[in-house]
Amino acid sequence: SNVGTALHSSPLWQHLSGSVISPRSEVDRAEQTERLLLELGRLKDSYREIITLAFFDQLPVRDIAEQMNVTPRAASMMLLRAVRTLQERMRPVIASGPDDG
């Protein structure tokens, strides 16, 4: 889908994929995209808004702070918490044992 294609090239996908998501195929990638959109939708409004402004609109923190009517420092902290929350929710449901190689 267009949303999926746009999402894969977005800074959010690249950020999350560096530490959380490693799709092995187009099917895996499509499933991860669907899951990411679902989890984005489940975030509280302020987290969803700040992720959208930062990663999809690619606004600098100063502009995000202005739009959200908070200080730049508060915006930075909120963005960090929002991304961490999303990363936690995107982790695989079943934890595997130590990786033997």
Side-chain angles (χ1 to χ4, degrees):
S1 75
N2 288 343
V3 171
T5 302
L7 189 57
H8 289 129
S9 61
S10 78
L12 176 61
W13 180 269
Q14 292 163 10
H15 179 79
L16 292 174
S17 67
S19 59
V20 178
I21 306 166
S22 57
R24 293 188 178 96
S25 70
E26 282 301 313
V27 172
D28 289 342
R29 191 170 291 136
E31 287 173 0
Q32 289 288 358
T33 299
E34 214 172 288
R35 185 153 171 242
L36 178 58
L37 291 172
L38 180 67
E39 293 301 342
L40 267 172
R42 289 179 173 165
L43 290 177
K44 65 183 186 177
D45 291 346
S46 60
Y47 282 9
R48 187 171 47 253
E49 181 181 0
I50 201 162
I51 284 175
T52 300
L53 293 170
F55 292 102
F56 293 97
D57 297 343
Q58 298 186 34
L59 295 180
V61 171
R62 182 179 57 248
D63 294 352
I64 292 169
E66 207 171 283
Q67 281 201 22
M68 296 188 76
N69 205 24
V70 297
T71 66
R73 181 163 185 208
S76 292
M77 291 305 296
M78 187 188 307
L79 181 58
L80 183 63
R81 286 189 200 108
V83 170
R84 283 183 177 162
T85 299
L86 190 56
Q87 285 177 325
E88 284 296 318
R89 292 179 180 193
M90 290 297 296
R91 286 224 164 87
V93 178
I94 300 168
S96 58
D99 188 2
D100 295 332

